[in-house]
Amino acid sequence: MTNISVKDLSDELRRAINKIEQTEGLEKVGIVIRVGDGVAWIHGLSKAGYSEMLEIETDDGVSEAFALNLMEDEIGAVLLDSESKVRAGAKVRLTGKALEVPVGEELLGRVVDPLGRPLDGGPEIKTKQTGLVEKPAIGVMGRQSVNEPLMTGILSIDAMVPIGRGQRELIIGDRQTGKTAIAIDTMINQAKQNTGVVNIYVAIGQKLSKVASLIDRLKEEGVLKQTIIVATSASDPASLLYLAPYAATAMGEYFRDNKKHALIIYDDLSKHAVAYRQMSLLLRRPPGREAYPGDVFYLHSRLLERSAKLSDDLGGGSLTALPIIETQAGDISAYIPTNVISITDGQIFLETDLFYQGLRPAISVGLSVSRVGGSAQTKAIKSVSGDLRMKLAQFRELASFAQFGSDLDKDTKSQIELGQRLTEILKQAQFSPLSIWEQYVSIYAVTEGLFNEVPVAKIQEARTALLSYVKKKHKKLIDTLNTGTKPDDKVKETIKEAAKEVASEYKG
C-alpha cells in the first residue's frame, strides 16, 4: 500500500474532499481515503494531535480510532473497532480528547478489556472517574525512595531479591518456567496477609483458557475481590494489545494517587512489543533492529516509569510493577529483554535447567538482582538472609567442582551440605505463599545448623513439622515475627529449642 496524493484519488473521493473543504474545512474534519489491516488513512485533520481520539462516521453510527502517524497530507489512525464498518469516503472528526478509560473502586473484582468494557458477563461498569491512557510519569520531586516491602510470600524472592512498594522488578525467562506462577503467588499473598494492596493483572495476547483458569484460581483463593483483570487474547486487534498495559496502568494510578497501594503485572511485554511492531509496520514506519521500530524502547520506558512510590506530600501511595518478558533459549541479550532490563530496578531470572531439575521456583542466584536491596526488606528477614545468596553461589560453584574429585576437605563438605539444605528449603509449591514468621523460621533453622543432622531428602518434611510445632505452641512468637521487626535473643532461643526437638525426630 503506497502513499497516495489527493491527485491520485478517485473523482468521487476528490469531490467529497472539496465539499468538506468548502463547508467545514479540513482542519477539524477529514475523510478516509483507504482502510485495511486495522489502519485508516485519513486526508485532512491538519490540527490533529498525537494519540488524539477520532470519530469516523459509519452506517451503524460512529467508529473510534486514535491518530498515531501524523504526516504532511494524511494521518494514519489505528481503529479500535472492527474495520468492516469503515469505508473509504467516510467523514472523520476530531474529538479534542486523548483516550480515557474508566478508573476507580468499581472495577475491583471485574474482568475488562482495555477500554473498560466488561468481559465477565457482569453489568456495565459505571465509574465516577476516568483516567488518561497516556500520561506523563511523576517527576523526581514527586517520588520518594522505595523503603516499604512488598512481600511476595516466595521465600527465595523475599530473602534474596526483595521487592519494595513502588519498585519495578522484571520477571524474565523462557516459556513454561513459572513466570506467571510467581506473579499469581504474589497476588495471592497480598490477600492472605491482608496487606490492602490492590492487584491488577494485564493479559496481553494470552490464551483465554489460561485467563479463565487464572480467574477461577483467584476466586478459589479469595483474591478476585481485590483484583482487576484487563484481558486481551491473541485474536484481538493489535490496537487493543497495544493499549492494554497503558489502560491498566491508568487504573492502577487511581489507587496510587489516592494514598493506596497497587501491584500491576504485565503478562507479557514481549507480546506487547510484537503488537506495537505490527502496528508500526502497517503504518509504514521504518523497521530497525529485529524489525522493531526505533521507538520501541520509549514504548516500555514511558509505561514503566509511571510505577512509583509517591512522596509524603502526594500521599505516599505506590504502584509496583512486575513486567514479564519471555526469552528464547535463555537469551537475555536479545533486543526487548535488554531494553526492559535497563528500564527496571532489577530482575528475577528463571532458568529452564533448574526448573526441570525440580528446583521451583527456578530462580537463578547469579543473574537475579534487586537494585533496591535490603531497604525493601523487613528487618526480620534481612537479619537472617544477609549472606544467603553468597552461600548458595559458593555451593553451586563447589558442587560443579566436587563432581571431579572425591577427596574433599571437611570445610568444603560442610559448605556443600549446607548448600544442599538451603536449596531444599527454598523449594516451594505453587499457591502456597509463606508469611514473615514462616520464612524467618525456615531460613533460621538451616543457616544456624539446626537441621544439619536431618537428611537432605527430609528437609521439606522437617520444615513443615517445625512450622506446625511453632504454630501450635508459640502463638505469641508468630505475632512478634509477623511485625517484621528484628527478633531478640529470647525469640531466637525459642526457635532453636523447637528446631532441635523437631530435628531429633528426623536424625538418620
Side-chain angles (χ1 to χ4, degrees):
M1 197 190 291
T2 54
N3 283 348
I4 305 169
S5 70
V6 179
K7 293 175 190 172
D8 301 326
L9 297 174
S10 67
D11 291 342
E12 194 181 337
L13 274 178
R14 274 211 305 276
R15 280 196 297 273
I17 289 168
N18 290 335
K19 188 179 176 185
I20 290 172
E21 199 164 12
Q22 288 162 15
T23 56
E24 299 178 80
L26 285 170
E27 290 180 341
K28 291 191 177 179
V29 182
I31 194 163
V32 177
I33 52 177
R34 63 192 186 282
V35 64
D37 298 314
V39 174
W41 296 91
I42 300 158
H43 180 74
L45 300 183
S46 55
K47 288 200 170 178
Y50 180 77
S51 209
E52 184 174 349
M53 291 300 295
L54 311 174
E55 289 181 345
I56 303 171
E57 292 178 6
T58 65
D59 296 338
D60 299 338
V62 172
S63 194
E64 289 187 317
F66 58 99
L68 265 192
N69 254 30
L70 303 177
M71 296 186 299
E72 198 176 344
D73 59 349
E74 66 180 2
I75 283 174
V78 177
L79 299 168
L80 289 173
D81 300 312
S82 168
E83 67 182 61
S84 59
K85 299 174 184 175
V86 181
R87 298 271 182 272
K91 270 189 190 179
V92 188
R93 296 182 189 278
L94 291 181
T95 62
K97 294 178 188 172
L99 182 57
E100 292 183 333
V101 290
V103 300
E105 309 270 351
E106 298 88 346
L107 288 161
L108 290 172
R110 300 299 301 273
V111 183
V112 296
D113 75 355
L115 299 175
R117 299 175 296 206
L119 296 173
D120 52 9
E124 194 182 331
I125 300 163
K126 290 177 182 174
T127 59
K128 292 169 191 168
Q129 279 181 255
T130 57
L132 285 169
V133 167
E134 287 271 10
K135 187 178 172 186
I138 292 277
V140 176
M141 298 306 289
R143 299 168 180 247
Q144 62 175 298
S145 59
V146 175
N147 52 30
E148 215 177 327
L150 183 121
M151 300 298 289
T152 64
I154 299 165
L155 183 57
S156 48
I157 293 176
D158 292 338
M160 296 188 294
V161 252
I163 299 168
R165 293 184 182 181
Q167 191 176 341
R168 298 150 304 173
E169 183 80 5
L170 171 64
I171 302 171
I172 185 167
D174 287 3
R175 66 185 298 274
Q176 300 294 319
T177 50
K179 300 184 297 299
T180 305
I182 285 176
I184 293 168
D185 278 3
T186 306
M187 289 162 70
I188 291 170
N189 194 52
Q190 305 318 307
K192 282 202 169 171
Q193 306 307 324
N194 201 19
T195 60
V197 175
V198 170
N199 301 311
I200 300 163
Y201 177 83
V202 196
I204 306 166
Q206 297 289 344
K207 286 180 184 171
L208 288 177
S209 58
K210 181 183 171 182
V211 179
S213 62
L214 164 73
I215 293 164
D216 289 343
R217 188 74 211 197
L218 293 180
K219 270 184 191 168
E220 200 179 307
E221 300 285 346
V223 189
L224 195 61
K225 59 181 177 288
Q226 66 178 65
T227 303
I228 301 169
I229 294 175
V230 180
T232 57
S233 71
S235 60
D236 284 327
S239 56
L240 284 184
L241 269 65
Y242 162 74
L243 288 172
Y246 292 101
T249 305
M251 295 169 190
E253 282 174 330
Y254 167 84
F255 297 99
R256 182 199 71 184
D257 297 341
N258 283 285
K259 304 181 184 180
K260 295 182 181 178
H261 303 281
L263 165 70
I264 187 162
I265 290 145
Y266 304 107
D267 192 5
D268 65 69
L269 290 186
S270 307
K271 290 188 181 73
H272 184 235
V274 168
Y276 186 62
R277 174 170 64 186
Q278 182 185 329
M279 276 170 39
S280 297
L281 292 173
L282 291 169
L283 287 164
R284 298 283 168 259
R285 291 181 178 174
R289 181 177 158 189
E290 294 174 32
Y292 289 102
D295 63 341
V296 78
F297 180 89
Y298 180 53
L299 172 81
H300 288 151
S301 62
R302 73 178 191 266
L303 171 71
L304 292 166
E305 282 297 324
R306 289 163 72 178
S307 297
K309 168 82 172 148
L310 296 190
S311 65
D312 290 334
D313 293 341
L314 293 175
S318 71
L319 179 60
T320 310
L322 294 182
I324 294 173
I325 286 284
E326 188 180 291
T327 53
Q328 305 289 331
D331 182 16
I332 56 171
S333 63
Y335 191 27
I336 302 302
T338 49
N339 275 357
V340 184
I341 285 170
S342 63
I343 295 163
T344 48
D345 309 312
Q347 70 272 348
I348 296 164
F349 181 67
L350 302 178
E351 281 190 72
T352 311
D353 290 349
L354 292 177
F355 185 83
Y356 289 120
Q357 284 169 30
L359 304 179
R360 297 172 191 176
I363 295 168
S364 163
V365 182
L367 290 172
S368 300
V369 64
S370 170
R371 296 192 186 101
V372 172
S375 55
Q377 242 175 340
T378 58
K379 286 177 182 172
I381 302 297
K382 191 177 180 179
S383 68
V384 81
S385 64
D387 57 353
L388 191 62
R389 176 195 285 273
M390 190 178 72
K391 283 175 179 172
L392 269 175
Q394 283 174 342
F395 160 67
R396 297 263 162 94
E397 202 172 309
L398 285 171
S400 56
F401 168 74
Q403 289 173 357
F404 303 104
S406 55
D407 297 331
L408 298 171
D409 60 87
K410 195 180 176 183
D411 286 348
T412 307
K413 271 184 181 173
S414 65
Q415 272 187 311
I416 288 173
E417 283 174 10
L418 173 63
Q420 287 171 335
R421 283 171 171 77
L422 282 175
T423 302
E424 206 59 34
I425 208 85
L426 291 174
K427 286 182 184 176
Q428 195 171 333
Q430 198 181 348
F431 311 126
S432 55
L434 300 172
S435 58
I436 297 172
W437 80 267
E438 290 171 318
Q439 293 187 18
Y440 183 88
V441 170
S442 300
I443 300 170
Y444 190 81
V446 174
T447 53
E448 291 296 310
L450 304 170
F451 276 3
N452 278 0
E453 291 181 18
V454 177
V456 174
K458 291 193 173 180
I459 287 287
Q460 285 279 354
E461 207 179 311
R463 189 251 297 268
T464 307
L466 173 60
L467 294 179
S468 59
Y469 180 90
V470 172
K471 199 172 185 179
K472 199 181 287 181
K473 299 200 173 179
H474 302 288
K475 285 187 178 170
K476 279 186 181 176
L477 179 141
I478 290 172
D479 296 336
T480 307
L481 284 173
N482 273 340
T483 61
T485 53
K486 190 176 177 180
D488 56 24
D489 292 339
K490 190 182 174 186
V491 169
K492 289 178 186 176
E493 199 55 44
T494 308
I495 297 169
K496 268 185 189 174
E497 286 169 16
K500 279 176 187 173
E501 194 171 321
V502 169
S504 64
E505 296 172 20
Y506 289 89
K507 276 184 184 178

